[in-house]
Amino acid sequence: WQNSSHIDCNNMASSIGSIVGICNPLLDISANCDEKLLQRYKLEPNNAILADEKVHLPLYEELKSMPDVEFLAGGAGQNSIRVAQWMLQSPHATSYLGAVGNDVYAQIMTEKATRDGVNVQYYKNPNGVPTGTCAVCVTDQGKNRSLVANLAAANTFSDEIISEVQWKCVTDAKVVYITGFFHTVSPKTIMKVAKECEKTNKTLCMNLSAPFLLQVPPFFESFKAVMPYVDVYFGNETEAKTLSEAMSWGLTDIKEIAKKLARTPGKANARPRTVVFTHGAEPTVIAIGDADRLWNVDEYGIIPCADEDIVDTNGAGDAFVGGFLAGMLKGEPIDVCVAMGNYGANVIIKRPGCSYPHKPSFKYRGLTLKY
């Protein structure tokens, strides 16, 4: 994207549908939980997994019965697109694709995302499959969250059901963002979109999303198949280390892993690959390179947040990606993209779920800390 011209997001005609996200739209069922609940359902405090029907289905009902339960329009990709839309403040600058059921949960999500300004283009499953849900078990006073996704209708998206309107969202976009979670749903759709990005010189961004996606063979094969087309990778330190294990790189330092991924040969276009690895409260690592050379590698500090100000870290990584994508669309340099990502994440962790005030108050003063 570094080679693209600056996009004026105040000019609505130039920004409508400029970012499209593809992922699994889920209604988040979020509540504060204790360690005993995690143990009962065999969950880790800061992880994301797919629901096992034999083990996890009672969890959703248990969370619904809790006094502080909240229902939020979620799914990692939808969170990122909503935050990007919020940062851009231009109606329908973003679009979002995914599959839902024909039910009240889908109605709630459509209303929330549309109110946020996102051009939502859900495929509504006609066969009675319900909208997917995600159990969000918040522990340690908001610092950790365990996610258990029951995909349901989200799992029914495929390359065969894409409508003309949905495909137009892809062809009109300048930046395409697909989460790793979509590897579990439709690898064929991912490849179809990836080849369109290569053909029309769009920037394709992808998130590693969760360790299990790099450990389960069919999902990892889909990851490797699309790798030549990916211009920008996002991930966190745990996913980075899991990737190194899966690729047999023998690396444990996330900066070295970022450099290795940036320089992985076989890229389908001449654009250098950018790798962005967040690391909780530690600096974010960004490497840019291609098979022939490492163009750049830097670390950027986060915006500090006092423990007592943290309400819920669920969605912090998604919000960082959303802010970063908004910066990319505007043609901003790396340090501004990071600052926009940091701002989005800092706002979200002080509020329940992936929520934010009516308008952002982001102002960049050149203070992103570089190490």
Side-chain angles (χ1 to χ4, degrees):
W1 96 86
Q2 291 108 334
N3 296 328
S4 65
S5 60
H6 184 88
I7 298 168
D8 180 4
C9 287
N10 292 318
N11 181 344
M12 192 178 300
S14 71
S15 63
I16 289 176
S18 292
I19 303 175
V20 63
I22 305 173
C23 184
N24 304 324
L26 305 173
L27 188 73
D28 284 351
I29 305 171
S30 177
N32 287 296
C33 305
D34 56 27
E35 294 294 329
K36 290 181 181 177
L37 182 139
L38 297 188
Q39 292 168 8
R40 193 158 66 250
Y41 289 102
K42 301 177 182 177
L43 303 176
E44 295 178 22
N46 213 19
N47 198 13
I49 63 170
L50 293 177
D52 182 333
E53 289 186 8
K54 296 177 182 177
V55 177
H56 297 124
L57 288 189
L59 171 62
Y60 299 91
E61 295 304 318
E62 188 167 346
L63 291 183
K64 286 179 190 177
S65 68
M66 292 184 175
D68 65 338
V69 66
E70 291 190 86
F71 298 89
L72 304 159
Q78 187 162 229
N79 287 342
S80 295
I81 292 301
R82 286 175 55 237
V83 171
Q85 177 64 52
W86 174 66
M87 292 289 287
L88 291 167
Q89 289 290 302
S90 177
H92 289 177
T94 62
S95 299
Y96 179 76
L97 313 182
V100 297
N102 193 7
D103 53 27
V104 67
Y105 283 175
Q107 244 180 326
I108 292 170
M109 284 200 296
T110 302
E111 288 169 4
K112 286 181 179 290
T114 301
R115 190 166 62 240
D116 289 340
V118 178
N119 174 30
V120 178
Q121 294 295 335
Y122 296 139
Y123 163 73
K124 289 187 178 179
N125 183 278
N127 301 317
V129 183
T131 296
T133 51
C134 183
V136 181
C137 305
V138 181
T139 56
D140 196 19
Q141 296 181 316
K143 294 175 190 171
N144 291 317
R145 87 288 179 271
S146 186
L147 309 178
V148 185
N150 180 21
L151 297 183
N155 208 31
T156 65
F157 200 98
S158 78
D159 61 313
E160 296 175 355
I161 58 89
I162 297 177
S163 68
E164 287 185 16
V165 173
Q166 289 172 326
W167 187 245
K168 192 173 187 303
C169 291
V170 175
T171 58
D172 285 353
K174 297 176 177 69
V175 177
V176 177
Y177 175 61
I178 308 176
T179 68
F181 293 117
F182 207 67
H183 287 300
T184 72
V185 173
S186 183
K188 287 183 178 179
T189 300
I190 292 175
M191 286 304 297
K192 181 176 181 176
V193 172
K195 289 177 179 178
E196 173 67 19
C197 288
E198 182 203 8
K199 184 174 75 174
T200 56
N201 200 32
K202 303 179 189 301
T203 301
L204 177 60
C205 309
M206 183 162 279
N207 204 312
L208 302 185
S209 294
F212 80 91
L213 296 163
L214 304 166
Q215 296 167 325
V216 178
F219 307 153
F220 186 50
E221 288 306 311
S222 177
F223 169 86
K224 288 190 291 185
V226 77
M227 184 183 288
Y229 302 93
V230 179
D231 299 304
V232 182
Y233 272 112
F234 296 97
N236 63 29
E237 76 283 5
T238 305
E239 294 152 6
K241 290 175 183 177
T242 305
L243 174 64
S244 177
E245 291 173 12
M247 298 290 283
S248 301
W249 288 342
L251 303 171
T252 56
D253 180 87
I254 68 166
K255 184 185 283 189
E256 294 304 314
I257 298 169
K259 288 158 63 175
K260 184 75 172 178
L261 180 55
R263 296 197 59 192
T264 298
K267 198 159 182 300
N269 61 34
R271 185 184 287 133
R273 177 178 289 138
T274 301
V275 178
V276 184
F277 285 154
T278 58
H279 194 181
E282 299 298 314
T284 295
V285 173
I286 299 186
I288 304 170
D290 56 30
D292 295 326
R293 66 186 63 81
L294 179 68
W295 290 89
N296 193 49
V297 60
D298 275 312
E299 296 181 65
Y300 298 85
I302 65 157
I303 301 173
C305 184
D307 286 353
E308 59 267 25
D309 291 333
I310 296 174
V311 174
D312 183 358
T313 57
N314 181 41
D318 303 336
F320 176 88
V321 172
F324 198 101
L325 291 174
M328 285 177 57
L329 180 64
K330 294 177 71 175
E332 300 288 5
I334 289 283
D335 58 342
V336 180
C337 292
V338 173
M340 293 176 73
N342 283 342
Y343 172 80
N346 187 262
V347 168
I348 263 65
I349 63 175
K350 296 174 182 176
R351 302 167 65 91
C354 190
S355 62
Y356 34 76
H358 181 58
K359 286 190 175 183
S361 57
F362 172 80
K363 291 181 180 177
Y364 185 61
R365 299 181 178 88
L367 295 178
T368 300
L369 186 62
K370 186 187 289 188
Y371 287 75

